[in-house]
């Protein structure tokens, strides 16, 4: 019979493939239905062959199961997508929500590569610039003893010195690494529970690193984690781009697979040193309290805010640099950073799980993507509907957020207040005569 997109569909065969794909992944009908936003009974009817799924839902099912959509209509076995097979090795179990978001990310990368081709921009999966300069021979470094020196080398190459790292999302985007944000679920660790993953339980995913065959490096960050955790994830994924370019991709989970542990351990160590350099930490401690033995938990929280990292990461760095003892570390780990922040008059927001409102909209994409798409629409090379399809948003959202005029109707209050203070010119200086 004729079905989805005018393609002849063997309804019984399609139902069998959908049911088999779901069962192979160990997903329940309830999980899949919730991820798609449909009733479980609707999904059951599709799997029994009583009804055909609408085109949009069939597309999402293909994303969710990691299948090539065309193979659902063709004879023989279904074909799995390469990107998902790279990120999901045998034995890794994901929730339906996380699996769907991973597929959306991979679908976007493919569509964006096609957009750049049409724009006439060169595509290269090979590392460029600093990513090429600093990658180790063979593209794989796992020696944790080199993490500190390598982090220092990258800081020097980026002219960061011992300073606090700027917005990492913007920094990676400037290096040519596409950062995509997605809601992958909180997971146990994000709620502070120390419960080990059981066999077959959905993995807690912090992010992913993927070497796209046309775009090169892209990373995904789970926004259902605290801001501090997201910063660490970005630094962790940057380490993969710098030192593990030989890998086609890796899903960064709370429990790494045995074959991934060396790579993940190095990335963790490098990220910690990159975000909080040992010399800079010791210098701050010396300036603030003098003797490290006078450090308090309140000082640790202030240091965390200074470096823009989580309280937990800062405690580990203090311990790593032998500025506190293990007993002190354990004692301070039991203290709530939210309470300390309140005591010190600091924002408690960094210690709460965010409730992102942008999901399904434009906040998922890096600045470089939004800039290119906006320019292509404004210059008439891309229609609004084509741009909405590329970014997987509705046309109204696109018009309201991406294509909005950047010019305000009236000057802001700040601009008026600072007009006198900032509207000046530095007087020219005469050159000094060179001494003989």
């Amino acid at each position: 019979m004729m079905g989805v997109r005018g393609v002849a569909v063997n309804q019984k065969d399609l139902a069998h493939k959908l049911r088999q794909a779901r069962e192979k992944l160990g997903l329940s009908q309830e999980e899949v239905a919730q991820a798609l936003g449909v009733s479980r009974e609707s999904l059951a009817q599709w799997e029994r062959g009583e009804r055909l799924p609408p085109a949009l839902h069939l597309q999402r099912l293909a994303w969710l199961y990691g299948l090539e959509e065309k193979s659902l209509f063709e004879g023989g076995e279904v074909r799995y997508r390469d990107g998902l097979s790279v990120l999901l090795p045998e034995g890794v179990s994901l929730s339906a929500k996380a699996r769907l978001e991973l597929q959306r990310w991979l679908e976007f990368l493919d569509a964006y590569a096609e957009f750049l081709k049409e724009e006439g921009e060169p595509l290269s999966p090979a590392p460029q610039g600093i990513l090429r300069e600093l990658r180790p021979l063979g593209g794989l470094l796992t020696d944790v003893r080199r993490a500190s020196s390598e982090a220092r080398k990258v800081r020097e190459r980026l002219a960061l010195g011992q300073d606090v790292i700027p917005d990492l999302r913007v920094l990676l985007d400037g290096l040519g690494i596409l950062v995509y944000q997605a809601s992958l679920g909180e997971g146990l660790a994000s709620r502070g529970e120390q419960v080990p993953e059981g066999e077959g339980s959905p993995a807690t995913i912090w992010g992913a690193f993927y070497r796209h065959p046309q775009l090169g490096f892209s990373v995904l960050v789970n926004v259902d984690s605290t801001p501090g955790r997201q910063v660490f994830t970005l630094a962790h994924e940057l380490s993969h781009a710098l030192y593990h370019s030989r890998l086609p991709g890796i899903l960064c989970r709370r429990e790494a697979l045995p074959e991934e542990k060396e790579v993940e351990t190095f990335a963790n160590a490098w990220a910690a040193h990159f975000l909080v350099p040992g010399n800079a930490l010791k210098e701050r401690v010396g300036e603030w309290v003098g003797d490290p033995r006078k450090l308090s938990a309140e000082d640790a929280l202030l240091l965390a805010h200074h470096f823009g990292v989580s309280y937990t990461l800062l405690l580990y760095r203090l311990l790593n640099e032998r500025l506190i003892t293990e007993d002190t570390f354990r004692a301070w780990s039991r203290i709530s950073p939210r309470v300390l922040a309140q005591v010190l008059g600091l924002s408690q927001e960094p210690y709460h799980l965010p409730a992102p409102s942008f999901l399904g909209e434009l906040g998922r994409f890096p600045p470089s993507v939004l800039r290119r798409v906006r320019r292509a629409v404004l210059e008439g090379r891309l229609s609004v509907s084509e741009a909405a399809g590329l970014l997987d948003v509705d046309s109204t959202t696109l018009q309201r957020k991406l294509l909005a005029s950047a010019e305000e109707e009236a000057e802001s209050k700040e601009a008026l207040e600072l007009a006198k203070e900032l509207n000046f010119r530095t007087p020219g200086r005469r050159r000094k005569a060179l001494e003989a």
Side-chain angles (χ1 to χ4, degrees), residues 100-409:
L100 180 59
E101 288 298 328
L102 280 176
Q103 281 288 57
R104 291 180 74 188
W105 173 43
L106 295 171
E107 286 284 343
F108 161 71
L109 293 177
D110 291 340
Y112 188 58
E114 289 301 314
F115 163 72
L116 291 181
K117 278 184 187 176
E118 293 175 2
E119 288 285 286
E121 298 204 23
L123 298 176
S124 173
Q128 303 294 326
I130 181 178
L131 301 179
R132 184 177 183 84
E133 292 174 24
L134 296 177
R135 68 175 179 173
L137 185 65
L140 196 66
L141 179 61
T142 59
D143 188 351
V144 176
R145 294 170 298 181
R146 294 179 57 184
S148 177
S149 61
E150 289 296 325
R152 184 166 58 251
K153 186 189 301 183
V154 174
R155 278 178 156 271
E156 290 172 356
R157 176 61 180 79
L158 293 173
L160 294 172
Q162 300 292 308
D163 295 337
V164 177
I165 298 292
D167 189 321
L168 264 181
R169 195 167 162 238
V170 175
L171 177 65
L172 266 65
D173 198 36
L175 293 174
I177 303 173
L178 293 178
V179 179
Y180 184 95
Q181 300 186 109
S183 171
L184 302 178
E186 293 181 22
L188 299 173
S190 292
R191 295 196 297 269
E193 303 173 26
Q194 301 300 313
V195 182
E197 288 181 16
E199 185 176 350
S201 63
T204 299
I205 303 172
W206 303 120
F209 163 76
Y210 179 52
R211 190 185 66 212
H212 189 272
Q214 294 170 297
L215 297 174
F217 298 144
S218 178
V219 304
L220 175 143
V221 177
N222 183 5
V223 296
D224 294 330
S225 57
T226 60
R229 173 69 237 194
Q230 292 181 46
V231 167
F232 185 78
T233 297
L234 284 167
H236 178 104
E237 307 302 350
L238 174 58
S239 174
H240 286 324
L242 288 166
Y243 304 104
H244 308 136
S245 59
R246 195 172 73 190
L247 298 177
I250 186 170
L251 196 64
C252 299
R253 306 159 56 239
R254 186 163 58 88
E255 294 294 332
L257 296 175
E259 60 269 26
E260 300 170 347
K261 280 194 173 179
E262 286 190 353
V263 166
E264 291 290 74
T265 299
F266 177 87
N268 287 335
W270 185 91
H273 284 285
F274 182 66
L275 293 171
V276 186
N279 289 340
L281 180 60
K282 292 174 183 176
E283 186 177 325
R284 293 289 85 74
V285 169
E287 290 176 351
W288 290 8
V289 299
D291 189 342
R293 290 173 295 183
K294 295 180 180 179
L295 271 174
S296 66
E298 289 85 353
D299 295 322
L301 187 80
L302 290 172
L303 287 166
H305 275 257
H306 172 77
F307 286 102
V309 298
S310 71
Y311 174 70
T312 300
L313 173 58
L314 199 285
L315 292 186
Y316 272 108
R317 292 297 293 122
L318 289 172
L319 180 64
N320 296 153
E321 299 297 332
R322 300 181 181 180
L323 294 170
I324 60 174
T325 65
E326 290 192 9
D327 287 341
T328 299
F329 171 82
R330 284 192 291 270
W332 289 359
S333 294
R334 293 192 290 268
I335 297 174
S336 167
R338 287 193 288 266
V339 173
L340 285 183
Q342 182 178 356
V343 168
L344 296 173
L346 299 173
S347 170
Q348 300 177 52
E349 186 177 346
Y351 310 105
H352 288 281
L353 286 173
S357 60
F358 62 76
L359 297 181
E361 298 185 359
L362 301 177
R364 290 176 288 141
F365 305 101
S368 62
V369 168
L370 298 179
R371 185 178 68 248
R372 283 194 176 104
V373 173
R374 174 183 165 87
R375 185 182 303 154
V377 174
L378 294 179
E379 295 177 0
R381 297 190 303 277
L382 199 67
S383 70
V384 172
S385 60
E386 288 172 332
L390 173 62
L391 301 178
D392 194 19
V393 297
D394 59 86
S395 297
T396 302
T397 297
L398 194 79
Q399 290 277 16
R400 180 166 48 89
K401 294 191 173 181
L402 185 66
L403 304 178
S405 173
E407 297 180 3
E408 295 187 9
E409 293 182 359

